[in-house]
Amino acid sequence: MALDLYPCELLFIHRDAEREPRDLRVAEIQEALHRLPPSSPQPTAVCVVPVRMQEAWLLFDEMAIKVAAGNRTFRENLNLPMLKDMELLPDPKSALYDCLRRASGLHGRRLQSFPVGQRARRVADLIEDFSPLRALPAFGALEEDVKEIMTRLHLRRDTSQPPG
């Protein structure tokens, strides 16, 4: 239904690994794509498979978290995990939400009404450089997949266009 409502050429499909090998999750995504009816749009797909949760990939940019929390001048250290430990966190989503709540500087009722889910989505928009995540195998695999697919799409587009 989403493909019918939002046709696209390139579709990013997210599935957390959740203690399963990346290859198994990619195979599950590919199998689901093969089950699409032939009449359905068939976009090229990129499999996004973080080790635990994609929120782990947002726990490296302290300033982005502070800005998303609405308190750029928050002075305390958020004690973000080391990059190598991010994907080992048992619940990265809770860790991100806790950081956002702390960074907001709010207390009591104002903290209770703080839209933490909305602010968590904002963190990704505020990160200017994701290159530190290249040290994580799952992120590196995503980047390589995107490069390969973009090259393939570019080549397909070049060969389908009439000479100039």
Side-chain angles (χ1 to χ4, degrees), residues 1 7 9 15 18-19 21-22 25 35 39 42 74-75 79 95-96 98 100 105 108 124-126 150 155 161:
M1 181 177 207
E9 289 182 49
R15 174 74 163 98
E18 297 174 354
R19 297 188 189 109
R22 179 181 190 280
R25 296 304 190 203
R35 288 194 312 259
S39 61
Q42 304 286 323
F74 183 73
R75 299 249 186 260
N79 298 316
L96 178 61
D98 290 344
L100 285 162
D125 293 336
L126 294 166
M150 294 307 292
L155 290 174
Q161 306 238 341

Side-chain angles (χ1 to χ4, degrees), residues 48-118:
V48 181
V49 186
V51 170
R52 293 236 193 250
M53 299 175 186
Q54 69 182 15
E55 287 83 1
W57 291 350
L58 304 178
L59 284 167
F60 75 96
D61 191 323
E62 192 161 317
M63 183 52 72
I65 293 170
K66 290 177 182 181
V67 173
N71 192 0
R72 151 187 315 274
T73 60
F74 183 73
R75 299 249 186 260
E76 294 176 37
N77 187 329
L78 293 177
N79 298 316
L80 298 180
M82 299 277 297
L83 196 60
K84 65 181 180 60
D85 299 327
M86 278 182 190
E87 294 185 321
L88 302 175
L89 292 174
D91 189 354
K93 185 181 214 171
S94 289
L96 178 61
Y97 282 20
D98 290 344
C99 286
L100 285 162
R101 285 185 190 102
R102 256 195 353 256
S104 75
L106 300 174
H107 301 283
R109 289 180 192 223
R110 293 183 72 202
L111 182 58
Q112 287 178 344
S113 64
F114 181 69
V116 70
Q118 177 185 9

